[in-house]
Amino acid sequence: MIERARHLSEFQIALRNFRKNRLAVVCVYVLSVLYGGALVAGFLSPYLFKNEDRNYSYAPPTPVKIFTEGQLTRPYVPAMELTFNEYNARVYKIDLVKKYPVRFLVKGDEYRLLGIFPCRYHLFGVEAPGRFYLLGADARGRDIFSRLLYGGQVSLSIGLIGVLISFMIGLLIGGISGYYGGRLDDILMRLCEMVMMVPGFYLLLALRAAVPDSFNSVQVYFAIIIILSFMGWAGLARIIRGMCLSLREREYVLAARGFGLSDFKIVVSHILPHTLSYSIFAVMLSIPGYILGESGLSLIGLGIQDPYASWGNMLSDAMSIVRIKFAPWILWPAFFIFLTVVCFNVIGDALRDCLDPMLKAEGEAQ
Amino acid sequence: MWRYTLKRMLVAVPMLLGISLLTFVLMRVTPGNYLDTIRMDPQFSKETIRHYEQLYQLDKPLAQQYIRWIYNLLHFELGYSFHYNVPVHKIIGERVWNTFVLSLSAFLFTWCIAIPLGIGAALNRNRPVDRAVQFFSYIALSFPGFFLAMIFLFWASQTGILPLGGMHSPDYDRLGMGGKIVDLLKHLVIPTRALSVGSIAALQRLMRGNMLEVLGQRYILTARAKGLPEGRVVYHHALRNAVNPLITLLGYEFSSLLSGAALIEIICSWPGLGSLMLTAVRSKDVYLVMASMLMGSILFMVGNLLADIALAKVDPRIRYD
């Protein structure tokens, strides 16, 4: 019997090694759930992010009951009524007489599915006078679960788009700088150092100052992405430059030059692909920085503005720490920020481990 | 060494100029300055506003304003803060000092915990202790510092052991020398811990990695073979070489603490440069922003420079010039 030899490409080998890391694979699934949830936030959430009811300020998570007097029934939520105790603190009384059955595919606030199709159906919810707060309510009586999903759209996408922009700039500037060397290299690297020399958060604040107050939420969102990418490219550019300095001396680059390829083409299609294995895990490990940057900015009120949700600005409620005591559920966004950051870190580390042999092999070939 | 230091400082000058220019442009690219706020206030007459405008040359073209600022800077004048109504240099010195105190405290705390932890983890490699340390480091690395600060503040509010933010107690001035120090240290606990948890995790991992690498070297085998006691092998031969690469990190570590401190300062209401910068940016106080940026960058740079010098002192293989 002839045994067929299987040939695996370097990429396939890396993928196989990656799959061996159980934790990293779990993290990929967790991230998929988070991103998927954010993508169809309108459908999964019972309410729109700005649907508020001031009668339910800081309402606790609604209990879901499945028993009526010992009998198993369909799940329902009891009505909640706002009362005040002797210290004038809010107490929500549960009224078991009024029941609102939990329904699936209920009609509610209109939203746009995937940002395109107008739709009124929500995966679950309760009929109008009842309110269903899966994870509690915020100061204005908005559903935290819904806002987490909508906030994920902002917080999760900022990381991806930001990293994409800053890596394109970083790769290009690093590549050009390393390939040409000389005067151009000097100027570009001084520019890099200038950006890196300013403490990150100060630069963030100064850049934010340049965004006009007249911007609307969408414009602010893009402004924040641009600000974060402006801060992120320098570190990568320096490392890519170092790699290109040695790559440009290789024979195949000489050959490409001999064939009369344009410099730009050589950099983009012959030099930069060799820095790919480094870039892949560097991307993963730098996404948390963007997410935390946005959260930090929104936390102090300079990021995404109310009523739009982002994990950072939802957390700004918890800045007055006394609230944490009587409404601990306002800390949910922090948990999701943490979860996302952990996942990206684990995946980044796993990628580095399985791409490293390739990096080492490249180093030895020189 | 002196030549190298001098050269680095000379290179820094055009960069600082670039940073200040960038800040100036960023601040002025959007319409409005602090005088617009004053204009709204009926308490100020038109003449007063004119007077201010002429005094700080806000009616001149932008380029001229910037050059004027540089000219003033050369005379050690940082401009005037409209928001606080005092010259910038009167507030900024204290703020720089406060930020420095916080960063230094976080820095010392980080190194004092992380280095022994890393050594311990490396010596107990793959034992439960090491596993536990690595697990918690991973969690700590992904924990946002601002969230940690909130949790600590909440904890302090519930137990009442530690003060809730700020830098001094209200009765600070009446305390004796010892009391003042204790008071300051008490206020330092929360921001320091919030700042350093992440850095401890990162540094501990690096230290562990370095230590393991060094312990695998041949000269360690030699040291053991010639019968040196284990303590001497570890602390005399291995440790010195394992710490070396970390010294380059020293300055960067300090710098990153400085940058991370900004957000923690704001949350813990620590009167440092970061919270000053936030106030300045919010009220469009141009000169205050520029001075804060400049001071932040200088602190940052000094950190990096000291790191490079320290490395050369520790490692005789490294020569500058």
Side-chain angles (χ1 to χ4, degrees):
Chain A
M1 204 173 120
I2 305 164
E3 208 175 310
R4 270 241 178 112
R6 285 177 65 208
H7 294 282
L8 295 175
S9 70
E10 275 187 353
F11 177 71
Q12 282 169 320
I13 294 172
L15 198 67
R16 196 180 56 185
N17 288 340
F18 182 79
R19 285 218 185 99
K20 278 184 197 153
N21 192 334
R22 285 273 177 79
L23 189 63
V25 175
V26 170
C27 285
V28 170
Y29 285 130
V30 172
L31 277 186
S32 316
V33 169
L34 288 176
Y35 274 92
L39 201 62
V40 289
F43 178 66
L44 292 180
S45 59
Y47 301 103
L48 202 62
F49 60 89
K50 55 184 174 189
N51 182 332
E52 59 179 54
D53 188 341
R54 304 267 171 116
N55 290 327
Y56 291 97
S57 176
Y58 295 116
T62 329
V64 182
K65 307 266 182 188
I66 48 171
F67 290 106
T68 320
E69 290 148 10
Q71 288 273 301
L72 194 66
T73 53
R74 65 176 298 172
Y76 69 93
V77 295
M80 276 197 296
E81 207 185 334
L82 175 62
T83 54
F84 293 92
N85 68 5
E86 68 266 36
Y87 306 110
N88 275 331
R90 287 191 199 87
V91 176
Y92 283 94
K93 268 207 180 133
I94 288 174
D95 185 359
L96 278 171
V97 182
K98 279 184 217 155
K99 297 172 197 164
Y100 301 103
V102 177
R103 293 181 199 280
F104 291 92
L105 291 176
V106 285
K107 260 191 169 179
D109 302 320
E110 184 168 321
Y111 62 93
R112 281 175 181 277
L113 192 61
L114 303 175
I116 312 163
F117 315 107
C119 181
R120 293 186 71 97
Y121 288 98
H122 298 260
L123 181 63
F124 65 93
V126 294
E127 298 271 295
R131 296 283 285 190
F132 186 18
Y133 295 115
L134 196 62
L135 298 176
D138 70 356
R140 296 201 200 170
R142 294 174 295 198
D143 179 30
I144 287 195
F145 178 71
S146 306
R147 281 175 71 74
L148 275 174
L149 286 166
Y150 278 103
Q153 289 181 334
V154 170
S155 299
L156 292 171
S157 63
I158 274 185
L160 283 193
I161 305 175
V163 100
L164 219 65
I165 296 176
S166 76
F167 266 69
M168 279 193 313
I169 303 174
L171 278 175
L172 211 61
I173 290 194
I176 289 171
S177 188
Y179 181 74
Y180 286 107
R183 178 70 60 77
L184 187 66
D185 179 38
D186 265 354
I187 294 172
L188 287 176
M189 282 305 110
R190 288 297 94 73
L191 208 67
C192 271
E193 276 164 26
M194 212 176 83
V195 174
M196 290 171 73
M197 210 172 71
V198 189
F201 204 77
Y202 293 70
L203 186 59
L204 199 63
L205 286 178
L207 286 167
R208 182 62 178 85
V211 178
D213 298 333
S214 56
F215 269 25
N216 66 27
S217 299
V218 179
Q219 286 168 321
V220 167
Y221 169 77
F222 283 109
I224 290 173
I225 291 180
I226 291 166
I227 288 171
L228 290 172
S229 352
F230 178 80
M231 294 173 54
W233 64 272
L236 182 84
R238 277 186 71 93
I239 294 170
I240 296 294
R241 167 194 173 258
M243 292 170 125
C244 290
L245 275 179
S246 72
L247 283 170
R248 68 165 180 189
E249 306 297 336
R250 299 276 186 89
E251 284 86 352
Y252 63 81
V253 174
L254 195 66
R257 214 178 292 162
F259 284 131
L261 236 57
S262 72
D263 285 345
F264 183 75
K265 195 119 203 227
I266 293 176
V267 171
V268 170
S269 59
H270 292 280
I271 291 187
L272 288 184
H274 282 265
T275 62
L276 202 64
S277 42
Y278 170 79
S279 313
I280 288 174
F281 72 77
V283 162
M284 282 293 162
L285 289 175
S286 63
I287 289 177
Y290 293 80
I291 295 176
L292 292 177
E294 184 273 325
S295 313
L297 214 50
S298 297
L299 187 71
I300 55 174
L302 291 176
I304 308 293
Q305 303 291 324
D306 227 42
Y308 292 91
S310 93
W311 291 346
N313 80 11
M314 289 173 74
L315 207 54
S316 65
D317 233 12
M319 284 277 271
S320 28
I321 45 169
V322 265
R323 289 200 191 125
I324 299 177
K325 189 180 162 92
F326 67 85
W329 46 88
I330 52 177
L331 290 179
W332 273 110
F335 171 75
F336 281 95
I337 294 172
F338 170 69
L339 190 67
T340 315
V341 172
V342 166
C343 286
F344 276 115
N345 280 342
V346 170
I347 295 172
D349 272 359
L351 280 175
R352 176 169 51 198
D353 289 344
C354 68
L355 289 170
D356 223 7
M358 282 154 73
L359 281 183
K360 270 181 195 152
E362 252 179 34
E364 279 157 13
Q366 284 172 24
Chain B
M1 184 56 71
W2 286 111
R3 264 187 63 190
Y4 173 74
T5 314
L6 201 68
K7 210 176 118 194
R8 280 279 294 262
M9 283 178 175
L10 283 179
V11 171
V13 171
M15 277 204 215
L16 286 174
L17 279 180
I19 288 170
S20 70
L21 182 62
L22 178 76
T23 320
F24 185 74
V25 171
L26 285 174
M27 287 304 292
R28 300 312 301 267
V29 78
T30 48
N33 54 40
Y34 195 72
L35 284 185
D36 290 341
T37 323
I38 297 180
R39 265 190 210 106
M40 300 280 189
D41 195 337
Q43 284 187 10
F44 291 87
S45 67
K46 279 204 170 115
E47 288 74 37
T48 321
I49 293 164
R50 275 305 299 152
H51 172 72
Y52 272 136
E53 269 181 351
Q54 276 170 357
L55 197 59
Y56 304 109
Q57 304 203 327
L58 292 173
D59 50 350
K60 300 270 165 54
L62 285 182
Q64 204 176 337
Q65 286 180 31
Y66 179 69
I67 291 167
R68 179 75 198 178
W69 186 78
I70 296 291
Y71 174 80
N72 283 340
L73 187 69
L74 293 177
H75 294 78
F76 297 102
E77 255 188 63
L78 291 167
Y80 188 84
S81 161
F82 300 105
H83 182 79
Y84 289 94
N85 248 332
V86 280
V88 168
H89 67 87
K90 284 208 169 151
I91 26 181
I92 206 148
E94 193 195 338
R95 296 302 190 105
V96 169
W97 171 249
N98 292 349
T99 292
F100 177 74
V101 167
L102 177 58
S103 305
L104 189 72
S105 140
F107 178 76
L108 291 177
F109 187 69
T110 303
W111 281 70
C112 288
I113 302 281
I115 298 295
L117 207 62
I119 297 170
L123 294 179
N124 292 299
R125 187 186 185 179
N126 287 341
R127 287 197 201 133
V129 187
D130 180 34
R131 291 269 163 93
V133 169
Q134 296 320 309
F135 177 74
F136 283 114
S137 296
Y138 221 99
I139 290 181
L141 263 181
S142 311
F143 225 83
F146 56 79
F147 182 47
L148 218 55
M150 283 177 175
I151 296 290
F152 285 145
L153 283 177
F154 176 64
W155 171 77
S157 78
Q158 291 305 301
T159 56
I161 302 171
L162 289 168
L164 279 176
M167 191 172 171
H168 302 302
S169 305
D171 59 347
Y172 179 75
D173 287 329
R174 273 181 281 135
L175 293 169
M177 195 60 201
K180 278 183 177 170
I181 292 173
V182 171
D183 185 59
L184 181 66
L185 288 178
K186 263 188 172 174
H187 282 83
L188 266 172
V189 172
I190 288 178
T192 299
R193 278 197 300 182
L195 250 178
S196 35
V197 164
S199 330
I200 289 176
L203 199 63
Q204 176 274 127
R205 270 164 50 127
L206 279 173
M207 184 67 212
R208 177 179 176 271
N210 284 341
M211 198 71 188
L212 284 177
E213 199 184 316
V214 171
L215 284 175
Q217 299 283 328
R218 296 250 172 99
Y219 59 82
I220 297 296
L221 194 67
T222 313
R224 282 192 179 130
K226 73 180 183 185
L228 278 185
E230 185 64 21
R232 201 169 158 74
V233 173
V234 170
Y235 296 106
H236 194 82
H237 292 274
L239 185 60
R240 286 187 179 194
N241 285 304
V243 162
N244 240 353
L246 290 189
I247 289 174
T248 19
L249 274 181
L250 209 99
Y252 296 110
E253 187 67 31
F254 185 75
S255 309
S256 73
L257 282 175
L258 192 78
S259 162
L263 194 53
I264 304 287
E265 275 171 14
I266 293 164
I267 290 171
C268 295
S269 44
W270 183 266
L273 204 54
S275 39
L276 183 72
M277 178 89 179
L278 179 67
T279 322
V281 163
R282 275 200 175 143
S283 54
K284 289 203 170 270
D285 203 343
V286 186
Y287 299 123
L288 198 54
V289 173
M290 290 176 77
S292 306
M293 268 302 247
L294 212 59
M295 289 301 156
S297 308
I298 290 174
L299 273 180
F300 205 79
M301 251 172 38
V302 169
N304 290 349
L305 181 61
L306 286 180
D308 289 341
I309 293 174
L311 187 67
K313 283 264 182 262
V314 172
D315 192 340
R317 286 169 299 187
I318 291 172
R319 289 250 171 280
Y320 298 117
D321 316 305

